[in-house]
Amino acid sequence: MLNAIFNLATKENITFVIAVAGFAISLFNLAHRRKSISARILKLRFNKEILYTYIAFENHSELPIAITRIALEIDGNFYDATPIPKRIITRTRRIGKEIIGRHEEYSTAIPMQLPSLGATTFLVVFEHLPTYPAVDSTQVTFLIGTNRGKALKMSLELPPAWADPKNIP
């Protein structure tokens, strides 16, 4: 019996076992590093000219991801987000007639970088849409393109008070 074990422990068999173990570890690492992102809408608003949304993205992968495209689906068609930063909100603080502070918010430039195992919120703007999501909608669908594989189609829940007229600028 001991002789049979020593006969199996040849240089070729040991090399084969090491190769199989290396392949299994490679498969595990590949599965663990694959693209895995999630998103949720924090705020969605629109006016006559634009629709803007704050979207929180989480990267569950050990590798960073660049978001290269965000498109909103309306009536079966996709409309791309504005890739160049655009001023969305301007807030001015005054005391009497004197301006004491000014704050401007700009949309995020595309592509957007997500760090490995991290989360980031982006302000995304859509211009010249033919229509907006219905006021009673509970979800919207986005097409998210990345630098790591094919685009993801994600249906995201809308915040409960997204179409409240008091919140529309």
Side-chain angles (χ1 to χ4, degrees):
M1 164 101 172
L2 206 52
N3 241 356
I5 293 174
F6 284 125
N7 286 339
L8 286 177
T10 64
K11 183 178 178 182
E12 292 80 17
N13 287 345
I14 292 172
T15 303
F16 176 73
V17 169
I18 291 172
V20 168
F23 179 72
I25 291 170
S26 296
L27 285 179
F28 174 78
N29 284 337
L30 180 66
H32 192 61
R33 291 180 171 220
R34 74 182 193 284
K35 176 174 59 173
S36 176
I37 60 173
S38 62
R40 65 187 173 100
I41 297 174
L42 303 176
K43 183 179 187 180
L44 183 96
R45 300 287 182 260
F46 65 92
N47 61 27
K48 294 177 186 175
E49 300 170 8
I50 64 169
L51 178 140
Y52 68 94
T53 180
Y54 289 90
I55 304 176
F57 286 97
E58 292 180 48
N59 181 5
H60 304 282
S61 170
E62 289 183 351
L63 297 174
I65 296 175
I67 296 174
T68 57
R69 179 183 185 206
I70 297 181
L72 175 64
E73 182 179 25
I74 297 177
D75 297 330
N77 297 317
F78 286 97
Y79 299 92
D80 285 318
T82 304
I84 300 188
K86 179 179 177 95
R87 185 175 58 220
I88 304 303
I89 300 169
T90 301
R91 294 184 184 99
T92 305
R93 291 187 56 201
R94 300 175 188 259
I95 295 180
K97 293 183 179 183
E98 183 182 351
I99 296 175
I100 60 167
R102 181 182 206 104
H103 175 74
E104 296 179 334
E105 286 188 54
Y106 288 84
S107 61
T108 308
I110 296 174
M112 305 172 208
Q113 305 299 322
L114 278 174
S116 62
L117 300 172
T120 308
T121 300
F122 299 114
L123 175 54
V124 181
V125 174
F126 298 91
E127 297 180 282
H128 312 297
L129 296 174
T131 184
Y132 296 111
V135 174
D136 59 350
S137 297
T138 58
Q139 291 186 347
V140 290
T141 301
F142 289 97
L143 188 66
I144 312 293
T146 70
N147 64 331
R148 294 182 46 207
K150 67 179 187 173
L152 302 169
K153 194 172 183 181
M154 302 175 105
S155 290
L156 304 179
E157 295 288 325
L158 288 168
W162 84 269
D164 186 350
K166 294 181 284 185
N167 295 326
I168 297 171

